[in-house]
């Protein structure tokens, strides 16, 4: 194995490792996005559940408490929306990094394939330029 082939094999191993790491980062970003979306949806459900209802025994204190709780939940919804947006940006960056790592790996694979084809072509030309091998004439016993 030539030095160039060893170097390309080493670069391919590194690029494959980098691709695996970026795919793991992308999976973590997707999981974070799903968690943030679930949290956001849960807070929205809680905010809708705290909506005031008409009841004969509703006092001003309970209305005030539910309004305060609802305001806090709406503030939490806003924060959750920002967190979802940040998670979405992180997921987009992770997908971009994975795509770039995949491109790098495929470029190295193409370089290796090109080097293999060039080596095969050199060997073929060497065989074509080699002097012909004469076989000794064999005579069957008569």
């Amino acid at each position: 194995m030539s030095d160039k082939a060893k170097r390309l094999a080493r670069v391919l191993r590194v690029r494959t490792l980098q691709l695996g790491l970026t795919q793991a980062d992308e999976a973590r970003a997707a999981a974070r996005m799903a968690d943030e979306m679930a949290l956001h949806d849960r807070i929205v459900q809680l905010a809708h559940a705290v909506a005031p209802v008409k009841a004969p025994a509703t006092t001003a204190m309970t209305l005030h408490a539910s309004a305060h709780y609802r305001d806090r939940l709406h503030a939490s919804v806003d924060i959750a929306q920002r967190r979802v947006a940040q998670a979405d940006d992180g997921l987009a960056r992770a997908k971009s990094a994975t795509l770039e790592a995949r491109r790098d790996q495929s470029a190295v694979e193409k370089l290796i394939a090109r080097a293999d084809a060039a080596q095969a072509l050199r060997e073929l030309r060497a065989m074509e330029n080699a002097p012909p091998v004469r076989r000794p004439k064999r005579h069957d016993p008569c």
Side-chain angles (χ1 to χ4, degrees), residues 2-130:
S2 69
D3 288 339
K4 185 175 182 179
K6 287 180 186 177
R7 184 178 27 187
L8 285 175
R10 187 172 55 243
V11 169
L12 179 64
R13 281 193 308 271
V14 169
R15 295 297 182 194
T16 302
L17 189 107
Q18 287 175 340
L19 177 61
L21 291 174
T22 57
Q23 286 173 336
D25 288 342
E26 182 180 354
R28 278 191 294 274
R32 180 172 180 250
M33 177 70 177
D35 290 345
E36 295 296 338
M37 285 296 293
L39 178 66
H40 175 266
D41 293 343
R42 181 68 181 136
I43 293 172
V44 168
Q45 287 174 355
L46 286 173
H48 288 301
V50 177
V53 293
K54 289 187 178 184
T58 306
T59 64
M61 190 62 159
T62 58
L63 284 176
H64 177 69
S66 65
H68 174 72
Y69 193 56
R70 192 174 53 253
D71 287 340
R72 296 280 310 264
L73 284 172
H74 284 298
S76 295
V77 167
D78 292 339
I79 293 170
Q81 284 176 343
R82 278 188 247 129
R83 289 178 64 162
V84 166
Q86 288 174 346
D88 189 36
D89 291 343
L91 181 60
R93 281 192 305 271
K95 284 183 179 182
S96 173
T98 301
L99 184 64
E100 186 176 330
R102 188 170 287 126
R103 245 185 278 134
D104 289 346
Q105 183 192 24
S106 77
V108 172
E109 288 172 346
K110 287 177 185 176
L111 285 173
I112 289 173
R114 189 180 302 158
D116 289 344
Q119 179 64 27
L121 188 60
R122 279 193 299 273
E123 290 173 2
L124 184 64
R125 285 189 183 145
M127 286 176 36
E128 288 175 351
N129 293 335

